[in-house]
Amino acid sequence: MNRLELRKKVHGIVDDLISEKGVVSPLDVFLRLGTITPKLVEEWRFGRVPYLERALHGNLAQFSYIMSLLRGKARELDLNPSYTAYMRWGKGPKRPLRFSKSGDHNIETNYATHYVLKKPKES
């Protein structure tokens, strides 16, 4: 899939998710694109996969481009960014999950940011 096709697909997915749920997350976009399966997400959430990027199908440049498309579409739609803590599921201590091999704070924050539809102001 070339970048133009990917752009159209990501923008369509964002529009669909916002109309369905009022919120969009990078993980939802990756699931809809088919770059990760629900089973692999579950494995990551239970801590059986060390970081999410290891389970994604594709390359880091493609993931970065998808994330930039998501952020751009969120700005275009005037969505509120909201950091969401992803914690390990299951028994034992609840520890934060990692998204990237490097664990870089900016990368982790980008993956963990959800974009939420603004509520209309009450008059």
Side-chain angles (χ1 to χ4, degrees), residues 6-19 32 73:
L6 188 57
R7 179 185 179 100
K8 287 180 184 176
K9 195 159 190 165
V10 168
H11 285 193
I13 289 169
V14 171
D15 288 336
D16 291 347
L17 287 168
I18 288 299
S19 66
R32 293 270 176 111
K73 184 67 174 173

Side-chain angles (χ1 to χ4, degrees), residues 25-122:
S25 72
L27 193 53
D28 288 337
V29 172
F30 288 128
L31 281 164
R32 293 270 176 111
L33 283 171
T35 56
I36 193 167
T37 64
K39 178 68 177 158
L40 285 172
V41 171
E42 184 178 301
E43 293 291 313
W44 171 69
R45 296 298 300 253
F46 279 106
R48 296 182 198 118
V49 175
Y51 52 93
L52 184 68
E53 286 177 346
R54 177 176 249 178
L56 292 171
H57 303 290
N59 61 57
L60 293 177
Q62 184 182 38
F63 308 149
S64 177
Y65 182 63
I66 291 167
M67 297 289 285
S68 71
L69 290 173
L70 171 57
R71 287 189 304 273
K73 184 67 174 173
R75 276 191 304 274
E76 180 185 311
L77 295 174
D78 197 27
L79 302 175
N80 280 335
S82 174
Y83 176 80
T84 303
Y86 281 81
M87 304 303 278
R88 184 177 162 261
W89 289 353
K91 296 179 181 178
K94 300 293 181 211
R95 60 179 173 77
L97 292 169
R98 283 187 46 188
F99 292 91
S100 64
K101 183 176 182 178
S102 69
D104 178 85
H105 176 72
N106 293 329
I107 295 171
E108 297 294 312
T109 300
N110 282 335
Y111 275 111
T113 299
H114 292 197
Y115 297 95
V116 184
L117 196 57
K118 290 184 177 180
K119 296 200 191 293
K121 292 181 181 177
E122 294 182 24

